Amino acid sequence: MEITYIAHSGFFLDMGDIGFLFDYYKGKLPDMGTDRPLVVFVSHWHPDHYNPEIFTLTKKYPHVHYVLSKDVHFRRVVSEYRQQGIELSEKITVCRRDSFQDLTLEGGRQLHITTLRSTDEGVAYFLEYEGRTIYHAGDLNRWVWKGESKAYNNNMDSNYRRELEKIRGRRIDVAFVPLDPRQREEAFGGMKLFLEYTESRMVFPMHFWTKYRIIRRFCEAYPEYAGQIARIERRGQKFSLME
């Protein structure tokens, strides 16, 4: 598997016979190949996770499919494309929170999609494909903030742990998890809990607003997890994960 960091929470995962594009909103897309299935995931409607330009990919990639959280506004785009003779609705799967769906791709290949309830908007995705597991958190995180009430922060912590319980102990090959420096002293909490709850092989920090040094800081604070953390340093950086 090859993983490309695009920007913010946007990643492209090349699995050889298929490509997964997550939460693209800006940045240069890698060459994804037009002869393979491409699945584009959107976790929620926030503009730093969703750019309607993703639908232009249908003009270049004949085997593209879109998996969208229910809160994503796409009806107008579908109508505009229909006027151009392109039926986008046939390429869209809408996911609710706490749902399970099987998506049949070209060649009869099966993608099993499980969603978790975000602690902000939309969903997190837990994917199973050909014996491999992928997790993209979207905005599911322990959003504890200095200045919020103790009741708010305690409730946030409880809600985050409740969602992680759904994947406790699961083996995950590739995970994408927020590590947001705006949380200051609470920034590491969500990532640390995720690593405690799951058996994740490689975790890619995201949502760090180009503040790359927070990744190094986390690894220094928790050296026991440093080997599982991808050291992202720039946009377009590629990582290879041996099977």
Side-chain angles (χ1 to χ4, degrees), residues 161-212:
R161 292 172 184 267
R162 180 194 66 219
E163 295 307 309
L164 291 185
E165 281 290 345
K166 299 172 184 177
I167 55 172
R168 178 187 280 277
R170 296 296 298 268
R171 180 186 179 276
I172 301 174
D173 291 299
V174 180
F176 306 96
V177 179
L179 188 62
D180 196 318
R182 299 175 302 167
Q183 290 185 273
R184 299 183 182 275
E185 64 269 19
E186 298 289 351
F188 297 163
M191 176 70 79
K192 181 174 180 290
L193 281 173
F194 179 82
L195 288 160
E196 290 175 355
Y197 273 69
T198 67
E199 299 293 333
S200 293
R201 183 180 174 192
M202 182 60 67
V203 179
F204 288 79
M206 64 180 189
H207 214 280
F208 49 80
W209 305 97
T210 74
K211 306 296 184 183
Y212 298 98

Side-chain angles (χ1 to χ4, degrees), residues 13-30:
L13 175 56
D14 187 337
M15 301 184 70
D17 62 336
I18 193 170
F20 294 155
L21 177 63
F22 294 97
D23 278 14
Y24 173 84
Y25 92 103
K26 69 176 183 180
K28 182 179 179 181
L29 290 172

Side-chain angles (χ1 to χ4, degrees), residues 52-180:
E53 288 184 9
I54 59 173
F55 294 112
T56 64
L57 294 172
T58 196
K59 298 177 180 179
K60 181 177 180 181
Y61 299 97
H63 306 302
V64 66
H65 196 89
Y66 300 91
V67 178
L68 311 177
S69 172
K70 188 176 182 297
D71 60 294
V72 174
H73 309 296
F74 64 90
R75 303 295 180 188
R76 181 181 58 80
V77 179
V78 168
S79 178
E80 291 174 356
Y81 273 71
R82 185 172 291 131
Q83 293 173 21
Q84 302 173 39
I86 300 172
E87 189 52 65
L88 265 180
S89 61
E90 298 174 352
K91 297 176 175 288
I92 293 175
T93 296
V94 177
C95 291
R96 298 176 180 271
R97 299 172 176 181
D98 292 316
S99 69
F100 306 88
Q101 297 191 55
D102 286 314
L103 182 60
T104 301
L105 302 168
E106 284 71 20
R109 287 166 288 194
Q110 294 289 313
L111 171 62
H112 185 67
I113 305 168
T114 302
T115 62
L116 282 65
R117 180 182 294 266
S118 177
T119 46
D120 192 352
E121 296 283 349
V123 301
Y125 291 109
F126 184 87
L127 311 174
E128 297 169 271
Y129 178 77
E130 299 289 314
R132 291 164 286 185
T133 52
I134 301 99
Y135 171 84
H136 191 284
D139 266 358
L140 173 56
N141 189 29
R142 182 179 177 272
W143 295 115
V144 170
W145 303 94
K146 184 177 181 180
E148 289 288 355
S149 68
K150 183 177 180 180
Y152 172 91
N153 284 333
N154 286 344
N155 187 57
M156 175 60 65
D157 182 80
S158 296
N159 289 343
Y160 185 60
R161 292 172 184 267
R162 180 194 66 219
E163 295 307 309
L164 291 185
E165 281 290 345
K166 299 172 184 177
I167 55 172
R168 178 187 280 277
R170 296 296 298 268
R171 180 186 179 276
I172 301 174
D173 291 299
V174 180
F176 306 96
V177 179
L179 188 62
D180 196 318

